[in-house]
């Protein structure tokens, strides 16, 4: 009797699980893949090369972004040498571990991959569908998403599976920005994520010198579920005249001992990113307390996105 579709899927999962149990226990993370050569992706790659001492392949569709990313890496390493945080030999060794490419086919041999592209759901879904096709069956497939459901991203890997199912290898490693400075990383499991995948993600982040916090797949996870409403409320206070920009930031800096006020922090995060996350929180929970500030939307419409565009709540 022919196996039903469900039965075939169960057999595929069993075969994949057995293969991974063998391979992942025998193969440590020696090579990392990073998708996206922006500030986050480059930061992740550089810290992995320095702290975890692994070879890193950075993939981006833009040659210009790759060149800019490597130049940024050189600048950060030179700064660390100048401040005597590392030696020149250590900087040279870390830099030698970084390689780049424009095709995801360069990731076929990695043991762990971290996607760090813009928060566009369909883009991430397409990337993970491709990763499921090309990566080794033991490789952990991680996303740096700050707001998109891990369960939805994992589900994208089950579209037209070939030999191995990959949805239980998907996890989020949400690094805090800037990665070389901030120690925190939020690790989020989707509904499909296996305990083995979660354990490997925690272990690798620790090898990168990070402090891991674990959360479930809920809108905003932990960091943004707490942080973004705080920033959004500060913007509402500004737009409704409760206080001016400097007073809002000053009271939080001098009253709660945070290094920067909420409006300045929003500029550093990017107002477009703040708006996108607030929309996810609002849409997925249906709770009016997550309604994005009208002023925040207007500033994004104006192209005033914060530090990266030279203008936000402050001028840069």
């Amino acid at each position: 009797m022919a196996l039903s579709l469900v039965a075939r899927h169960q057999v595929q999962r069993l075969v994949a699980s057995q293969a991974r149990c063998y391979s992942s226990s025998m193969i440590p993370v020696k090579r990392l893949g990073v998708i996206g050569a922006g500030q986050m992706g480059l930061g992740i790659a550089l810290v992995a090369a320095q702290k975890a001492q692994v070879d890193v392949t950075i993939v981006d569709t833009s040659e210009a972004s790759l060149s800019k990313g490597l130049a940024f890496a050189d600048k950060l390493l030179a700064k660390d040498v100048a401040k005597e945080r590392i030696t020149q030999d250590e900087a040279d060794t870390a830099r030698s571990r970084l390689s780049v490419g424009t095709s995801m086919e360069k990731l076929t041999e990695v043991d762990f991959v971290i996607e760090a592209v813009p928060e566009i759901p369909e883009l991430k879904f397409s990337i993970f569908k491709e990763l499921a096709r090309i990566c080794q069956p033991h490789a952990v497939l991680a996303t740096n998403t700050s707001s998109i459901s891990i369960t939805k991203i994992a589900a994208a890997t089950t579209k037209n599976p070939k030999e191995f199912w990959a949805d239980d290898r998907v996890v989020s490693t949400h690094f805090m920005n800037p990665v070389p400075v901030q120690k925190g990383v939020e690790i989020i499991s989707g509904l499909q994520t296996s305990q083995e995948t979660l354990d490997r993600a925690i272990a690798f982040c620790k090898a990168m010198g990070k402090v891991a916090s674990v959360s479930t797949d809920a809108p905003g996870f932990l960091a943004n579920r707490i942080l973004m409403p705080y920033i959004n409320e500060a913007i509402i206070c500004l737009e409704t005249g409760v206080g001016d920009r400097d007073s809002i930031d000053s009271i939080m800096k001098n009253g709660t001992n945070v290094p920067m006020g909420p409006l300045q922090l929003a500029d550093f995060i990017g107002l477009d990113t703040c708006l996108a996350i607030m929309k996810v929180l609002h849409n997925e929970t249906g709770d009016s307390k997550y309604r994005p500030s009208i002023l925040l939307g207007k500033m994004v419409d104006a192209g005033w996105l914060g530090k990266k565009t030279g203008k936000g709540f402050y001028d840069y």
Side-chain angles (χ1 to χ4, degrees):
M1 178 183 293
L3 288 174
S4 68
L5 180 61
V6 172
R8 289 202 302 272
H9 286 176
Q10 290 175 335
V11 170
Q12 286 177 325
R13 284 178 179 277
L14 178 60
V15 171
S17 176
Q18 290 174 338
R20 286 194 295 275
C21 283
Y22 171 76
S23 59
S24 64
S25 63
M26 300 294 290
I27 303 176
V29 178
K30 292 183 178 179
R31 178 169 286 279
L32 172 70
V34 174
I35 302 175
Q39 184 176 351
M40 288 298 297
L42 192 282
I44 292 167
L46 187 56
V47 172
Q50 284 186 280
K51 301 293 185 180
Q53 299 182 355
V54 297
D55 292 329
V56 185
T57 300
I58 308 167
V59 172
D60 197 293
T61 56
S62 168
E63 291 275 10
S65 293
L66 290 169
S67 297
K68 184 178 179 181
L70 290 178
F72 183 52
D74 291 336
K75 180 179 178 181
L76 291 178
L77 289 169
K79 183 178 179 180
D80 282 346
V81 171
K83 293 192 173 184
E84 299 185 345
R85 293 169 180 160
I86 59 175
T87 66
Q88 186 61 56
D89 284 345
E90 289 171 332
D92 292 341
T93 299
R95 181 62 176 80
S96 71
R97 294 189 178 113
L98 302 179
S99 62
V100 299
T102 56
S103 170
M104 284 204 293
E105 294 292 337
K106 293 184 72 70
L107 304 179
T108 55
E109 299 300 319
V110 300
D111 307 303
F112 202 112
V113 58
I114 300 174
E115 163 272 312
V117 303
E119 293 289 272
I120 303 171
E122 292 304 324
L123 175 59
K124 292 182 186 285
F125 299 157
S126 65
I127 287 173
F128 276 80
K129 181 179 178 180
E130 183 67 5
L131 290 175
R133 182 185 71 82
I134 66 174
C135 287
Q136 301 181 89
H138 74 272
V140 171
L141 311 179
T143 173
N144 188 55
T145 184
S146 58
S147 61
I148 300 170
S149 167
I150 313 308
T151 298
K152 289 181 180 179
I153 293 174
T157 68
T158 65
K159 310 300 183 185
N160 303 317
K162 293 182 69 177
E163 183 178 359
F164 295 104
W165 280 63
D167 58 352
D168 64 342
R169 292 186 282 141
V170 176
V171 68
S172 176
T173 50
H174 176 212
F175 291 83
M176 301 297 109
N177 191 28
V179 181
V181 176
Q182 301 284 20
K183 286 188 172 294
V185 58
E186 189 175 28
I187 300 180
I188 306 108
S189 294
L191 190 62
Q192 310 93 318
T193 307
S194 70
Q195 185 63 46
E196 177 193 356
T197 297
L198 178 61
D199 291 344
R200 292 183 69 199
I202 293 171
F204 185 62
C205 288
K206 286 183 177 178
M208 291 175 65
K210 300 302 182 183
V211 178
S213 298
V214 178
S215 70
T216 57
D217 187 16
F221 315 133
L222 276 177
N224 284 325
R225 186 71 168 264
I226 297 167
L227 176 64
M228 286 304 161
Y230 157 70
I231 288 175
N232 192 59
E233 191 63 32
I235 300 171
I236 291 173
C237 285
L238 178 64
E239 74 181 0
T240 57
V242 177
D244 61 26
R245 179 198 68 184
D246 293 342
S247 293
I248 290 169
D249 277 357
S250 176
I251 191 59
M252 298 312 297
K253 286 167 61 179
N254 297 304
T256 64
N257 203 32
V258 293
M260 65 177 68
L263 301 179
Q264 184 183 17
L265 178 57
D267 276 354
F268 275 74
I269 293 171
L271 302 191
D272 53 339
T273 300
C274 294
L275 179 61
I277 295 170
M278 287 306 300
K279 285 181 176 179
V280 168
L281 289 171
H282 191 219
N283 292 338
E284 293 195 8
T285 66
D287 194 326
S288 61
K289 73 179 181 181
Y290 298 119
R291 179 187 63 81
S293 159
I294 294 172
L295 177 59
L296 175 60
K298 286 181 177 179
M299 293 184 71
V300 172
D301 288 342
W304 299 350
L305 307 183
K307 190 173 186 296
K308 61 187 174 184
T309 59
K311 183 175 181 60
F313 293 106
Y314 295 81
D315 293 329
Y316 300 91

